[in-house]
Amino acid sequence: MTVAPFHSSKNPGVYHVCSNCTEGNNIESRYKTQGTGGGRLCKNCKELQDKGKC
Ligand SMILES: [Zn+2]
């Protein structure tokens, strides 16, 4: 499902919006930060959204 944008403070530049994004879920909780961080939407999240599987 779609959640509020979040990104990794360790690897900024990409943000996630899907709770089921594997990449987003790989972010360690200590680096998980709310907001886009000024990055771009994750490819994986975009694909999930396009398929309606986010
Ligand atoms: Zn993602």
Side-chain angles (χ1 to χ4, degrees):
M1 66 178 246
T2 305
V3 296
F6 64 94
H7 67 282
S8 166
S9 59
K10 194 184 176 188
N11 295 305
V14 178
Y15 68 92
H16 307 271
V17 291
C18 294
S19 60
N20 54 332
C21 174
T22 47
E23 226 177 282
N25 284 332
N26 278 338
I27 298 173
E28 290 173 69
S29 53
R30 62 189 160 139
Y31 295 123
K32 195 171 170 181
T33 310
Q34 287 301 305
T36 65
R40 290 184 301 173
L41 177 60
C42 159
K43 264 190 281 180
N44 200 16
C45 285
K46 191 180 182 305
E47 220 174 276
L48 288 167
Q49 279 191 322
D50 287 348
K51 290 178 183 167
K53 289 180 178 174
C54 185

